[in-house]
Amino acid sequence: MKKISIVLSLIFALSLTNCEKETHSEIKVISPEEMQTLLELDDIQIVDVRTPEEYREGFIANSQNIDFNSPTFDEDISKLDITKPVILYCKSGGRSAKCSKKLKEAGFVKIYDLKGGITQWKFKGLELKTLE
């Protein structure tokens, strides 16, 4: 009887651990204003998931371009630090929403998705950088 209760306790503890892992990641859709506040953090990763051509037309400072449609996308995102917060954006929010789900599945801790993408960022009159 004692062995059964130990085994059941162990199974219960493992099931709690698995539940915690599943809910550990969080995706939060943020406004451009909220993103500006987050950009002040030192350890934030900013990822533009548009094509390289779109990226060259203008991007948010300190972002890196990882094309969501690239055949190497999964490999490219695996180079990011899953323990650091990530802000994702695209043109209007579709690709970044899909990317958010992939990052969540990969175990990223904190994921932010810019609502309306770079289109909304530009609409708010916020600064864009270009490759020089």
Side-chain angles (χ1 to χ4, degrees):
M1 187 68 173
K2 191 174 184 181
K3 285 183 182 179
I4 292 174
S5 65
I6 291 172
V7 170
L8 289 174
S9 296
L10 186 58
I11 291 171
F12 180 71
L14 288 174
S15 69
L16 286 178
T17 304
N18 287 339
C19 289
E20 285 175 16
K21 285 181 184 174
E22 288 174 18
T23 59
H24 195 248
S25 296
E26 181 184 335
I27 299 170
K28 183 171 185 203
V29 178
I30 57 170
S31 69
E33 294 81 9
E34 289 171 313
M35 182 170 167
Q36 279 192 303
T37 302
L38 289 170
L39 292 177
E40 295 172 13
L41 301 174
D42 290 334
D43 63 347
I44 198 97
Q45 303 170 99
I46 310 160
V47 180
D48 182 325
V49 297
R50 298 176 301 154
T51 65
E53 295 77 24
E54 290 173 299
Y55 186 78
R56 279 192 289 277
E57 293 172 7
F59 55 90
I60 297 170
N62 302 316
S63 64
Q64 58 182 306
N65 183 220
I66 301 177
D67 183 357
F68 181 74
N69 296 316
S70 168
T72 61
F73 177 78
D74 290 333
E75 179 185 330
D76 295 338
I77 63 167
S78 71
K79 295 174 185 169
L80 298 171
D81 186 340
I82 68 169
T83 65
K84 291 183 179 180
V86 180
I87 299 175
L88 302 167
Y89 72 91
C90 61
K91 183 176 181 180
S92 60
R95 287 173 280 183
S96 60
K98 291 176 187 172
C99 182
S100 294
K101 291 176 184 168
K102 280 194 170 214
L103 293 185
K104 183 175 180 172
E105 291 168 5
F108 280 74
V109 175
K110 193 73 173 173
I111 306 157
Y112 298 98
D113 182 8
L114 178 60
K115 183 179 183 179
I118 201 163
T119 303
Q120 189 65 24
W121 183 266
K122 284 193 258 186
F123 178 77
K124 295 286 185 176
L126 300 169
E127 184 181 3
L128 290 179
K129 301 286 184 185
T130 54
L131 297 174
E132 299 166 327

